[in-house]
Amino acid sequence: MALVARLWRFLHLGRGSVPGPRLLMGAPGSRGRCGLGRLPGFEVIGNPGTFKRGLLFSALSYLGFEIYQVVSQAAVVHATAKVEEILEQADYLYESGETEKLYQLLTSYKESEDAELLWRLARASRDIAQLSRTSEEEKKRLVYEALEYAKRALEKNESSFAAHKWYAICISDVGDYEGFKVKIANAYIIKEHFEKAIELNPKDATSIHLMGIWCYTFAEMPWYQRKIAKMLFATPPSSTYEEALSYFHRAEQVDPNFYSKNLLLLGKTYLKIQNKKLAAFWLLKARDYPAHTEEDKQIQTEAAQLLTSFSVKN
């Protein structure tokens, strides 16, 4: 209705302005009211029919432009709404543990330019790779595929904490196929992106948890690997179990019981520093954690085995 009203005002203004220019015209053979006769360049205005046709053409052009704007805006809104709908479906499938359905959904949109969709696709690709029934060849393909999606997500939005997080995770996974030297070199990049993810969203428990894993990994690095790392790098990455514990506990404070693996690693880290009482406390929580995914089931089994080893030794 607003568009119609504007068009009506435009046409109405045009009709009212026709007589005005006629003052520039005189009767044939006379000097006219102002004594100027017919001025060059005003012949079109002097012809009412031509002027009306020109006015109608202008009005239609104006209408076309308005319609184009409305359609363009509608297309943008529709595209945004569609992405939001896909993300809602993806998050529902992820929370439901429907790993394969989630991957199938998101791969249909792998050419998307949306960072939120791309990092979810990286996560889904990695989750498929982690399944026990995935072959080694397929796993490798999916790991590199996930890294490509995560890289694109980061390129599209460097302010996305999740893009930083999944880029770091995927680089870590690829390191398993590229040798010890590359893996150590990538450790600095991984740490940088985890720290950036935490900076962008200090309430994301998984980013904090992953920094804990980074610390745990380098705290338990065997002596011979440390020696090689020192030969390759002047200052190789290093950490302690106490530092790892600080991140695992911080993650629990942000979001209690958010992830079975955080509970398991709290137990394993306490074992490393010989605190069996606290180790048992966290391992029991990991064992009794409701299993929603295949990973949860694997963690339950590992926690139970570690608890059994407690009983045997004691």
Side-chain angles (χ1 to χ4, degrees):
M1 292 300 293
L3 180 59
V4 173
R6 276 186 279 175
L7 180 60
W8 172 254
R9 287 197 299 271
F10 184 83
L11 290 169
H12 182 71
L13 178 62
R15 284 198 298 272
S17 62
V18 172
R22 289 187 174 179
L23 295 175
L24 298 174
M25 297 175 55
S30 71
R31 296 178 180 269
R33 292 180 63 182
C34 298
L36 299 177
R38 186 184 295 270
L39 296 180
F42 284 85
E43 289 81 4
V44 172
I45 297 178
N47 187 330
T50 304
F51 179 75
K52 287 179 180 178
R53 285 194 299 273
L55 187 61
L56 179 60
F57 177 78
S58 298
L60 291 173
S61 298
Y62 176 80
L63 177 61
F65 176 71
E66 289 281 322
I67 291 172
Y68 168 78
Q69 282 189 314
V70 170
V71 170
S72 297
Q73 290 170 2
V76 170
V77 170
H78 176 71
T80 303
K82 185 176 181 181
V83 170
E84 289 298 324
E85 182 180 331
I86 296 165
L87 295 181
E88 285 181 9
Q89 291 176 25
D91 290 344
Y92 174 78
L93 290 172
Y94 181 75
E95 293 298 329
S96 303
E98 297 284 357
T99 307
E100 290 168 319
K101 288 182 181 178
L102 173 60
Y103 180 73
Q104 289 170 4
L105 168 69
L106 292 177
T107 48
S108 302
Y109 305 96
K110 63 183 179 181
E111 302 303 324
S112 172
E113 300 294 307
D114 189 276
E116 292 296 304
L117 196 152
L118 288 169
W119 72 252
R120 284 172 170 83
L121 181 51
R123 180 181 65 184
S125 301
R126 183 181 185 272
D127 285 348
I128 291 288
Q130 296 293 318
L131 294 176
S132 58
R133 58 181 172 275
T134 303
S135 69
E136 284 301 316
E137 183 181 351
E138 183 68 3
K139 180 178 180 178
K140 182 177 179 179
R141 184 191 68 78
L142 287 163
V143 161
Y144 279 91
E145 180 183 292
L147 177 60
E148 185 59 32
Y149 293 137
K151 183 180 178 181
R152 283 174 53 201
L154 196 56
E155 288 170 352
K156 297 302 176 185
N157 185 5
E158 290 188 352
S159 297
S160 168
F161 82 91
H164 282 280
K165 175 172 67 178
W166 286 99
Y167 182 63
I169 292 170
C170 293
I171 289 177
S172 179
D173 289 344
V174 165
D176 292 338
Y177 298 98
E178 301 199 345
F180 182 72
K181 184 177 179 179
V182 173
K183 193 165 187 175
I184 295 298
N186 283 345
Y188 296 101
I189 301 170
I190 292 166
K191 184 179 182 184
E192 176 188 341
H193 284 283
F194 282 149
E195 288 175 338
K196 187 62 178 178
I198 294 169
E199 177 189 330
L200 289 168
N201 185 2
K203 295 297 183 183
D204 179 53
T206 55
S207 296
I208 302 168
H209 161 81
L210 290 165
M211 264 307 305
I213 291 181
W214 190 96
C215 295
Y216 184 93
T217 300
F218 287 100
E220 75 166 356
M221 181 184 286
W223 66 269
Y224 62 90
Q225 288 187 353
R226 290 183 191 278
K227 191 171 182 179
I228 296 170
K230 284 181 180 178
M231 291 171 62
L232 296 172
F233 302 94
T235 54
S238 62
S239 189
T240 65
Y241 291 119
E242 287 75 15
E243 192 174 4
L245 274 176
S246 71
Y247 280 109
F248 294 143
H249 276 297
R250 182 177 165 188
E252 283 300 312
Q253 289 168 0
V254 168
D255 190 2
N257 298 316
F258 74 102
Y259 186 26
S260 59
K261 192 169 185 177
N262 198 63
L263 303 174
L264 176 69
L265 282 168
L266 275 162
K268 291 176 72 171
T269 310
Y270 274 115
L271 272 180
K272 293 289 186 180
I273 61 174
Q274 303 301 312
N275 190 331
K276 294 184 178 181
K277 183 177 180 180
L278 284 175
F281 172 81
W282 291 105
L283 289 171
L284 281 168
K285 288 175 74 70
R287 186 197 66 184
D288 297 337
Y289 190 90
H292 298 294
T293 65
E294 186 172 321
E295 183 186 34
D296 289 334
K297 293 174 184 176
Q298 293 169 356
I299 286 166
Q300 283 182 339
T301 301
E302 185 176 355
Q305 289 171 348
L306 287 169
L307 285 164
T308 300
S309 71
F310 270 32
S311 303
V312 171
K313 288 179 182 179
N314 293 334

